[in-house]
Amino acid sequence: MTEHFRVAIVGSGPGGMSAAGRAAQSKLSHVLLEKTDHLSDTIYKYQKGKLVMATPDILPLRSPMDFKLGIREDILGTWDKQTKELGVNLRYNAEVTKITGRKGAFELTVNGKDKVTAEYVVLAIGLQGNLRKLGVPGENDPRIQYQLDDPDEYAEETIVVVGAGDAAIENAVALAKQNKVIMINRSAEFARCKQGNLDLITKSLEKGVLECMYKSSPTKVEAGPRLKFTLKTADGEAVVECDRVIARLGALAPRAFVESCGIQFPSKDPTALPELSAHYESNVPGLYVIGALAGYPLIKQAMNQGYEVVEFIQGNECEPADEPLLKEKFKGALLDRYGSIPGLLAEMQKTVPVFSGLTTLQLREVLLESNVHTPKGGGEIFHRNDYSNTFYTIFAGEVGIEIDPDHPDEMVRLGPGEFFGEMGLLAGRRRSATVRATQDCVLIETSRREMIKLIKSVPKVRDVVDAAAIERQIRSYIAPNLSKDDMAAVLESAKLRSFKANEVIFNEGDPGDGVFLIRTGSCTVSRRIGGREIVMNYVPAGHYVGEMALVRDMPRAATVKAAIETEAVWLDGAGFRMLMDHLPQLRSQIERRIGAIITQTEDISQRPEAGNLIQFLVQEGGKEAADMLLIDEALCVRCDNCEKACAETHGGISRLDREAGPTYATIHVPTSCRHCEHPHCMADCPPDALHKTKDGEVFIDEQTCIGCGNCERNCPYGVIHMAYDPPKKPGLLSWLLFGFGHGPGEDKIASHASHEGKKRAVKCDMCKDIEGGAACVRSCPTGAAIRVHPEQFFALTTHSPQ
Amino acid sequence: MHESILVYRGFRYLKLSLWMVAIAVVAYIVHQPTVGPPNGGTALGYTLGTIGVLLIVWLAWFGVRKRRYGLGKVKLEDWLSAHVYLGLGLIVVATLHTGFQFGWNVHTLAYSLMIFVIVSGIFGIIVYVRFPRLMTENRRGSTQRDLLAQIAELNAKAREISVTLGDDIHNEVMASADKLALGGGALKQLSGRDRNCPVQHAVKRVGELVLGLPKSDAEKGRTVLSLLARKLELVERVRRDLRYKALMDIWLYVHVPVTFALLASLAAHIVSVFFYW
Ligand SMILES: Cc1cc2nc3c(=O)[nH]c(=O)nc-3n(C[C@H](O)[C@H](O)[C@H](O)COP(=O)(O)OP(=O)(O)OC[C@H]3O[C@@H](n4cnc5c(N)ncnc54)[C@H](O)[C@@H]3O)c2cc1C
Ligand code: HEM
Ligand code: HEM
Ligand code: SF4
Ligand code: SF4
Ligand code: SF4
């Protein structure tokens, strides 16, 4: 028998649960289908006792369920109680595997067999996806686990860990402390993990702490007193007997399922979000998407949407919960002129091309994450070499861009609908020009995260931004005062090219067919000397490569390789020659540069170890760093004063680990933030708590951090760790005289004894709030610790004592 | 970009110190005391003494400054470079102050303590300049934890293989693990040696015992021996590492306490000259 409901809600996370609560409250016939046997699996899986944050504080909660800052257990308890009280029709162990049909007559398949029909469907399945299973007979034995909460729980067992990613490596190494561990790796190496974990596993394997079977994949598991695990290996079949299997095979993103329901995504990018109407309705009428899946990464937002979506389904218009926030943002003359927020938004989409491709929902979201500025004519908006990376659109008025610092009067003027600031955003580098208002303006300043989200999910935004960016990049990095016609001719031949990490941009000896202007990422220049590849130099974004072959009319004199994912504007040979002909100062500037390059090349080829050092630094993060901490071990007396200084100036928790990290010759790269240009840690922070300062420092806003651990996982250099607040320290005097508590700088990692209070991510903030800068460097008595910019790598090799 | 504190900023503080010393020497030569030989009681004596005390207090303040992390605009490297050179200059300033009038009294006690602190400082700076590089070379990219883990690993392997090689060899292998002591007392650490090192003993003994093994076990015997030899090399590296670290730490246990003694005796010296002179 098939049951029928008005609304079927899939997923009982904060979004789905709140929707079901509202439906129950409104006496709407409904069902809430949950895959697991408890509410809200994502939150259920938080670690025990986690303090769940109710950010953003200013956003009001609108839901029949309660939610405020509190401990995981209390929140889940409240929700359990309230779903019962409200009479929510909740089904556990009901995984929806298929959705077909259309508005008024949807059919949902539950657990592959049962059917439920509904007029409307609300999809609130979050982003966690399904954990990949072994996919072999016997995979459901309870001794096969797909998650590992506490490795210390097991001892003296033989444990097989399947997988080769970060989670598998971390689990395997942690388990190996008390158990015999065998890893099963499908391929011949560990290629899908971060550098830190690669080092960890390589060392552990070398030391024999655990074993690994390469090129092996499971074929079946047989139960018994011990598990009999059969594998297919390169040398035939093998059987491993064990007590437990931990399979860390990652999660299957929900996207495939969502697409199978007919919902379209605007681009292939895995982070793209489905396109939704202002009522959260997808391209399939009657099928709604809310919560994390819709691009709203926080609990409160998901709950609000749950409430709203049920109102919309019932045909009730309801002002979105964020309306008051938008009103607050635009209050005054602007709101008065257009009457209401919807009126204002409509006008904005008309005037501003970047916003025209957005749905109103997306636009609202963007504006919530934006600031409105109304500078008076003459006011400076940002300054050349600032490190800010927000994006500005002009809603009204005019700004002038001073491209050439030597001629501040020659400004490029931009009017309503145009935008600026995209270069800092794209390249992650300093601002390339000063911008000031030339009239009274209304400007919208959008956060980097929001803009990147848009560029990835809305093709139109990407196109509009790219087209303008290429022209401006040519202007600011190569030819500031090129006439409009010349520029048009150059643009004709310009193309955007992207390269993967380690991909060759061009090879030594290739014919020189054009110039590459590196706009994001960075690359290394190397030459073969005596049969070996020697790195000559490092080229960050904002510079060009390949001009030498053109000027000298000869083949490429060196190989250029992308150090990380890199995007370059390619200008063909004819176009670039034309530029040089029209701009004599460009030609002489290039001649001078070539002179410098030749001396540098000569120099390095005499000292190949210097090239190796550059290569090493680039590898260890220089390729994307704005700033790296290095320690010259020839000077370092291992006093750990650097760590103590960091702990003392940062709430008792050191953000740097001196001893850890790789060393080349005597140059050691301790575990400390590289302040990446495009910080990986920022990619996926639900409350957007990671920011970049004007000077390029990446820091965590500890007030808004919710302690989810995403940044810790995402940083490839392992520099972020999660910590509780440490106990209070005594003053220097009372410690010296009476020995109270911990002394200065002691206890470098916060004690884990006091598991109370908030757990949060901590990382190096470059001492941005401390006068005089980096405390670690200033506190090194012997000058062993220094901070360098990648541009200084070459200089470093000439001064470092070898 | 990296420079040692000795050459720091083109020897800025060495130059400062040399100026100070030169002026003191010239003053000493030029100055003719009104009564008696040059000593601490003359006008110049008072001046040099005062400079000396100020220097000492400032040098001792370094211990506090070092712990005021994040405060102050001047890098600690500046402080230490100045500390070293001005501390050395102090020898001349203080000696000229005394007018070479030494005796068995509290004054000379203060002077001796000062020299003692300075000598320990000189030892310290030598260690600071020489050992970091040696330490890095000795470690060859591993951390101390890595080295210890490698030793544990070799222990396990050697134990496993030696079980079948008879009690004599097995007992040596076991002893080389169980009796192995790394670290230990300060003196032991500083020496970097262990005269009764069980690993060394095991290598020697097993080397002899292996010769008596039946042919079928010879291969295994050699493996055990080479494991032990590798372990010995690692153990020696750890000992060297500990020795370097101990030497880099130990002198501060003299330098700092004696500084306190110096400050006390200096106070006594000054009080006494004002009361009894
Ligand atoms: C470690 C961590 C800490 C976090 N901390 C915070 C915090 O402190 N504050 C905050 O505001 N946010 C926090 N977040 C973010 C927050 O958890 C999510 O934004 C929120 O859970 C999203 O809610 P949702 O309803 O969209 O989806 P989810 O909470 O992910 O819920 C989806 C539900 O759908 C179920 N489901 C999935 N597929 C199916 C299917 N096919 N059929 C049936 N059911 C299905 C799942 O089992 C799950 O119960 C954190 C996230 C993580 C990972
Ligand atoms: C404010 C600082 C100082 C004052 C006022 C001072 C004063 C004096 C005086 C008056 C004398 C002459 C004593 C005599 O002839 O009996 C003297 C001698 C001496 N002082 Fe100082 N002094 C000072 C600092 C120092 C310092 C820093 C040292 C070294 C650590 C030092 C070591 C000596 C010694 C060794 C003598 C010789 C003692 C002797 O004559 O037997 N003094 N000082
Ligand atoms: C009377 C003279 C001196 C006094 C009172 C003095 C005092 C001190 C003090 C209090 C410290 C702080 C130690 C700590 O807290 O860790 C210190 C450190 C040090 N001193 Fe001196 N010192 C003197 C002379 C010298 C001289 C002459 C040298 C070298 C030639 C020297 C070299 C050092 C060094 C290398 C350190 C260690 C820095 C560190 O590791 O942080 N000192 N001294
Ligand atoms: S914490 Fe962020 S900025 Fe720092 S190294 Fe890691 S990814 Fe880069
Ligand atoms: S710069 Fe500041 S925050 Fe960063 S490691 Fe050094 S002391 Fe710590
Ligand atoms: S403060 Fe300087 S000398 Fe001391 S451990 Fe750190 S880098 Fe080494």
Side-chain angles (χ1 to χ4, degrees), chain B residues 23-36:
Chain B
I23 292 169
V25 170
V26 170
Y28 187 80
I29 294 170
V30 172
H31 182 72
Q32 290 297 332
T34 37
V35 280

Side-chain angles (χ1 to χ4, degrees), chain A residues 688-700:
Chain A
D688 202 7
L690 282 137
H691 304 284
K692 239 180 173 181
T693 64
K694 255 187 173 179
D695 297 316
E697 294 124 13
V698 178
F699 68 97
I700 301 177

Side-chain angles (χ1 to χ4, degrees), chain A residues 25-55:
Chain A
Q25 222 173 23
S26 326
K27 306 265 180 289
L28 200 65
S29 115
H30 70 279
V31 65
L32 175 57
L33 300 165
E34 167 57 45
K35 180 171 71 173
T36 62
D37 64 357
H38 43 255
L39 271 183
S40 206
D41 191 45
T42 304
I43 290 153
Y44 186 85
K45 282 199 189 125
Y46 290 174
Q47 85 202 66
K48 296 191 184 77
K50 174 179 161 25
L51 188 67
V52 182
M53 316 293 290
T55 28

Side-chain angles (χ1 to χ4, degrees), chain A residues 203 207 632-638 641 644-645 648-649 659 770-771 778-781 783-784 786 788 799, chain B residues 1-5 69-70 72-73 75-77 80 128 132-133 136 139 143-144 146 149 153 245 248:
Chain A
K203 278 196 185 149
K207 282 186 246 155
D632 186 345
E633 290 200 332
L635 299 177
C636 169
V637 295
R638 278 72 165 176
N641 217 33
K644 290 174 195 156
E648 274 303 296
T649 48
E659 197 179 0
I770 296 169
E771 205 187 339
R778 286 189 299 138
S779 304
C780 174
I786 57 168
V788 293
H799 296 303
Chain B
M1 225 163 282
H2 279 292
E3 28 178 37
S4 124
I5 43 166
Y69 305 105
K73 286 207 187 70
K75 280 167 64 179
L76 204 63
E77 195 181 358
L80 185 56
Y128 271 25
R133 181 183 289 272
T136 302
R139 283 218 188 146
T143 61
Q144 201 184 83
D146 294 343
E153 167 72 5
K245 184 78 175 79
M248 285 204 289

Side-chain angles (χ1 to χ4, degrees), chain A residues 119-168:
Chain A
E119 287 162 42
Y120 298 93
V121 175
V122 177
L123 213 49
I125 58 173
L127 281 177
Q128 301 298 314
N130 286 331
L131 291 175
R132 270 206 191 88
K133 296 219 172 165
L134 282 178
V136 298
E139 65 175 10
N140 289 325
D141 191 289
R143 284 167 291 179
I144 304 180
Q145 288 163 231
Y146 295 95
Q147 244 201 317
L148 177 66
D149 293 328
D150 181 9
D152 296 335
E153 215 175 287
Y154 309 104
E156 317 265 311
E157 292 190 2
T158 302
I159 301 180
V160 170
V161 176
V162 190
D166 290 308

Side-chain angles (χ1 to χ4, degrees), chain A residues 646 650 655-656 672 764-767 774-776 787:
Chain A
C646 186
H650 293 83
R655 283 94 208 279
L656 95 106
S672 160
C764 162
D765 59 7
M766 270 296 270
C767 295
C776 49
R787 287 204 162 266

